[in-house]
Amino acid sequence: MRVAVHDTSTEAVVTAMERGFETGPDLDALLRRHQPLLVAGSTGTTSLGPKHAAALLRDCYLVSLTSRNREFDVAGLREAAERVEDAGQLGFRCHLPQGVCATVIADGFPINFHHAESLPNKYADLIMAALITGAATLAQEGHGFAAGHNVPRTDAALAASGLLERYYERFGPHHATSGGSGQ
């Protein structure tokens, strides 16, 4: 697959160019020249909207790779379209004035969260609880942590909190078996 790279960081564009990718500092010009089949946005901000959609010269797919649904200006793309077609679980299609169909996968939401949990809630809850435990530990006077990451000390703080034991009691193997025997 031919890959083109656009970034607002000149350093990132130069790095991509040095690695053999087609690049361009002007997104509209790059879209017109490259004519992508797949546009993958991973900026964490709005990377493509109706202004840029006018530069699309062939049918294509827009896929967000970030953790929020702001990679594409979905409302703007819908407004710019002559017709919007629901594509079911796939997302929706914008039939643009230049005769191009841009399919917005997952309705603009991150593809890794589309119709599935990429990280089940119970794991995300454990991670969030561990982060809160860490913040509470660091908020205490005399916590004993220096700048940087001290894995053994972090493990000790988590162990002292009892968080992992409570997680295991709640979600451990005894919940996966019938009768709760833990066998």
Side-chain angles (χ1 to χ4, degrees):
M1 177 182 280
R2 285 181 316 116
V3 176
V5 176
H6 169 76
D7 200 296
T8 56
S9 162
T10 303
E11 180 182 338
V13 171
V14 168
T15 299
M17 179 192 69
E18 289 174 344
R19 292 183 179 165
F21 296 104
E22 183 176 348
T23 60
D26 178 328
L27 180 57
D28 293 343
L30 183 61
L31 290 169
R32 282 188 186 92
R33 186 173 68 248
H34 187 67
Q35 298 184 28
L37 173 62
L38 174 66
V39 176
S42 60
T43 66
T45 62
T46 303
S47 63
L48 191 140
K51 171 187 172 282
H52 306 297
L56 298 171
L57 301 177
R58 68 180 277 194
D59 292 353
C60 64
Y61 298 89
L62 307 180
V63 179
S64 173
L65 304 175
T66 59
S67 60
R68 299 278 184 250
N69 66 335
R70 60 179 165 236
E71 195 65 42
F72 304 113
D73 177 359
V74 172
L77 290 170
R78 286 177 174 276
E79 281 182 32
E82 290 183 337
R83 181 169 58 93
V84 176
E85 174 187 349
D86 181 11
Q89 285 192 355
L90 180 64
F92 65 91
R93 293 182 180 94
C94 289
H95 296 272
L96 301 170
Q98 68 269 33
V100 168
C101 177
T103 302
V104 181
I105 303 296
D107 298 322
F109 286 91
I111 192 66
N112 57 324
F113 299 137
H114 188 50
H115 292 287
E117 289 184 299
S118 62
L119 180 65
N121 285 337
K122 66 182 181 181
Y123 303 135
D125 290 347
L126 175 63
I127 291 166
M128 293 305 294
L131 288 171
I132 291 168
T133 299
T137 300
L138 292 173
Q140 296 174 14
E141 275 191 47
H143 56 69
F145 282 88
H149 185 64
N150 183 325
V151 174
R153 190 167 202 123
T154 301
D155 289 345
L158 277 173
S161 74
L163 173 66
L164 297 174
E165 288 81 7
R166 287 192 303 276
Y167 175 84
Y168 190 77
E169 286 170 12
R170 182 166 184 188
F171 297 111
H174 64 282
H175 289 283
T177 59
S178 62
S181 66
Q183 303 285 325

